[in-house]
């Protein structure tokens, strides 16, 4: 399964000449999901050659401008480019008013249907599911209602070699049961163990996107063991108090979350524009979690291939 993340922007608060505010694209097989949409996201989509008419689902973590100000412009461009297909927007209540007010005052009647799905900042919930993967929210702790998003592959059904089917003369109901990871007991007492007769399939992969949040125990539970965790690290330790006051995280704290949750890889992002040299983020994180990398525009993270 193709499972990739492309970082479009990883700056906090203000766009600068060095960094675009937050946005990224998650690709699952042929489907593209836009996660947050800071100012200038459509320019980044063009720059990194993401065909944005292929995006059918947009997830907005919260209503601070650095996470959604690019959305009215992107929707307007989709309209001008002749989009017909419905577009699903997931985010906190209020995102509808923001977009609808824009459209109303420009007397724009979209060529396509815009479908809002409001996220619940208090309870984890599934937002979208297919046969092969699901997307759900992650509860975060920020100054305003805010959720992250968890992309999870579903467990794949194990396969059975033809030679095994022949050898054991497996019947269709037996094959179905074995593929469901159930052992089969035949009338003569013979036991067909699914673990012995099926081929191993790769473990399902997962990606957790934690946008703005203070360090929060509940996040540790929700991202337990994910393949890749993107966690905000707006500040370094020199601004620990400021991080707590503004409900943000430091690089060290993000690494502590990754370590406690036993994730495979950590990606740091959402850097305050006060920092030019980002290497110090890595240094602070590495002391607690080795497999850490810094988000940067255009970075492609391969979760599964
Ligand atoms: Zn932010
Ligand atoms: Zn915020």
């Amino acid at each position: 399964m193709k499972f990739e993340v492309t970082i479009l922007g990883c700056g906090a608060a203000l766009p600068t000449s060095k960094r675009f505010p937050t946005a990224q694209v998650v690709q699952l097989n042929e489907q593209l999901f836009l996660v947050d949409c800071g100012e200038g996201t459509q320019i980044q989509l063009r720059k990194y050659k993401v065909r944005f008419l292929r995006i059918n689902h947009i997830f907005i973590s919260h209503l601070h401008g650095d996470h959604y100000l690019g959305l009215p412009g992107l929707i307007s461009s989709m309209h001008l480019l002749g989009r017909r297909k419905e577009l699903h927007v997931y985010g906190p209540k209020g995102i509808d008013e923001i977009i609808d007010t824009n459209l109303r005052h420009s007397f724009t009647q979209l060529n396509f249907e815009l479908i809002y799905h409001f996220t619940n900042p208090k309870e984890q919930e599934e937002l979208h599911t297919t046969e092969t993967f699901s997307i759900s929210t992650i509860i975060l702790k920020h100054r305003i209602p805010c959720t992250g998003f968890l992309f999870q592959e579903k467990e794949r059904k194990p396969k059975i070699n033809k030679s095994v089917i022949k050898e054991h003369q497996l019947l269709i109901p037996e094959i179905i049961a074995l593929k469901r990871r159930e052992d089969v007991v035949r009338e003569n007492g013979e036991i067909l163990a699914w673990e012995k007769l099926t081929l191993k399939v790769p473990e399902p992969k997962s990606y957790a996107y934690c946008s703005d949040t203070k360090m929060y125990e509940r996040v540790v539970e929700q991202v337990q063991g994910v393949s890749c965790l993107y966690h905000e690290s707006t500040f370094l330790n020199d601004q620990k108090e400021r991080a707590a006051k503004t409900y943000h995280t430091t690089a060290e704290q993000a690494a502590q979350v990754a370590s406690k949750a036993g994730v495979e890889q950590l990606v740091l992002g959402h850097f305050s524009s006060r920092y030019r040299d980002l290497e110090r983020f890595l240094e602070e994180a590495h002391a607690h979690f080795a497999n850490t990398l810094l988000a940067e525009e255009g970075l492609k993270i391969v979760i599964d291939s």
Side-chain angles (χ1 to χ4, degrees), residues 62 64 66-67 142-144 212 248 270:
H62 67 301
H64 280 150
D66 53 332
H67 298 260
H142 196 40
R143 293 196 304 283
I144 59 172
D212 299 10
H248 282 300
H270 198 265

Side-chain angles (χ1 to χ4, degrees), residues 7-68:
I7 307 292
L8 303 171
C10 51
L14 309 168
T16 66
S17 59
K18 298 269 180 297
R19 254 173 256 145
F20 274 77
T22 299
Q24 46 185 259
V25 175
V26 178
Q27 178 165 5
L28 278 155
N29 287 335
E30 293 316 306
Q31 296 200 53
L32 299 178
F33 300 92
L34 182 64
V35 182
D36 277 340
C37 188
E39 213 173 325
T41 294
Q42 56 175 316
I43 295 167
Q44 295 294 81
L45 287 168
R46 282 188 189 279
K47 183 170 173 186
Y48 295 108
K49 302 202 168 24
V50 180
R51 291 171 49 207
F52 55 73
L53 289 181
R54 272 183 54 205
I55 296 171
N56 298 321
H57 301 266
I58 299 178
F59 297 86
I60 302 295
S61 62
H62 67 301
L63 297 181
H64 280 150
D66 53 332
H67 298 260
Y68 84 85

Side-chain angles (χ1 to χ4, degrees), residues 119-136:
T119 48
N120 177 352
K122 298 215 156 54
E123 291 294 332
Q124 207 178 5
E125 60 188 353
E126 191 172 80
L127 299 176
H128 181 68
T129 183
T130 72
E131 245 180 51
T132 50
F133 61 85
S134 69
I135 305 169
S136 33

Side-chain angles (χ1 to χ4, degrees), residues 1-249:
M1 179 162 182
K2 189 170 185 164
F3 191 174
E4 281 180 4
V5 180
T6 304
I7 307 292
L8 303 171
C10 51
L14 309 168
T16 66
S17 59
K18 298 269 180 297
R19 254 173 256 145
F20 274 77
T22 299
Q24 46 185 259
V25 175
V26 178
Q27 178 165 5
L28 278 155
N29 287 335
E30 293 316 306
Q31 296 200 53
L32 299 178
F33 300 92
L34 182 64
V35 182
D36 277 340
C37 188
E39 213 173 325
T41 294
Q42 56 175 316
I43 295 167
Q44 295 294 81
L45 287 168
R46 282 188 189 279
K47 183 170 173 186
Y48 295 108
K49 302 202 168 24
V50 180
R51 291 171 49 207
F52 55 73
L53 289 181
R54 272 183 54 205
I55 296 171
N56 298 321
H57 301 266
I58 299 178
F59 297 86
I60 302 295
S61 62
H62 67 301
L63 297 181
H64 280 150
D66 53 332
H67 298 260
Y68 84 85
L69 281 175
L71 188 57
L74 179 63
I75 289 174
S76 167
S77 295
M78 285 175 164
H79 172 68
L80 295 173
L81 290 169
R83 184 188 178 98
R84 296 271 170 208
K85 199 160 189 286
E86 61 189 32
L87 179 70
H88 296 265
V89 175
Y90 304 78
K93 183 101 191 75
I95 187 76
D96 52 335
E97 272 177 60
I98 290 167
I99 302 299
D100 293 348
T101 303
N102 265 276
L103 296 172
R104 195 169 63 249
H105 288 288
S106 61
F107 297 95
T108 304
Q109 192 88 47
L110 292 177
N111 310 316
F112 57 90
E113 196 184 351
L114 203 51
I115 302 165
Y116 297 108
H117 305 264
F118 301 120
T119 48
N120 177 352
K122 298 215 156 54
E123 291 294 332
Q124 207 178 5
E125 60 188 353
E126 191 172 80
L127 299 176
H128 181 68
T129 183
T130 72
E131 245 180 51
T132 50
F133 61 85
S134 69
I135 305 169
S136 33
T137 51
I138 299 170
I139 305 308
L140 302 174
K141 208 175 186 63
H142 196 40
R143 293 196 304 283
I144 59 172
C146 183
T147 69
F149 302 102
L150 179 63
F151 294 76
Q152 282 175 300
E153 278 180 11
K154 290 186 179 167
E155 210 166 60
R156 291 175 216 186
K157 279 194 187 139
K159 291 191 173 131
I160 304 178
N161 265 343
K162 275 193 182 146
S163 58
V164 172
I165 296 178
K166 228 173 159 184
E167 186 192 334
H168 294 271
Q169 296 189 324
L170 295 177
L171 303 170
I172 301 227
E174 291 175 337
I175 295 174
I176 293 172
L178 293 169
K179 283 189 172 180
R180 270 199 234 118
R181 298 180 165 78
E182 291 165 10
D183 293 342
V184 174
V185 183
R186 284 179 160 167
E187 275 182 21
N188 63 3
E190 186 190 355
I191 296 170
L192 303 170
W194 74 267
E195 272 185 297
K196 280 195 185 148
L197 301 184
T198 59
L199 297 169
K200 265 207 173 338
V201 286
E203 285 290 309
K205 305 281 184 184
S206 48
Y207 173 65
Y209 168 80
C210 294
S211 70
D212 299 10
T213 184
K214 68 183 335 190
M215 193 185 182
Y216 187 34
E217 274 304 315
R218 246 179 114 181
V219 171
V220 175
E221 292 159 28
Q222 296 171 92
V223 303
Q224 203 59 234
V226 296
S227 317
C228 179
L229 167 67
Y230 178 99
H231 199 289
E232 76 123 289
S233 64
T234 310
F235 299 109
L236 290 167
N237 257 336
D238 62 351
Q239 297 288 329
K240 205 169 174 175
E241 275 172 30
R242 189 176 166 79
K245 219 162 99 188
T246 55
Y247 286 73
H248 282 300
T249 310

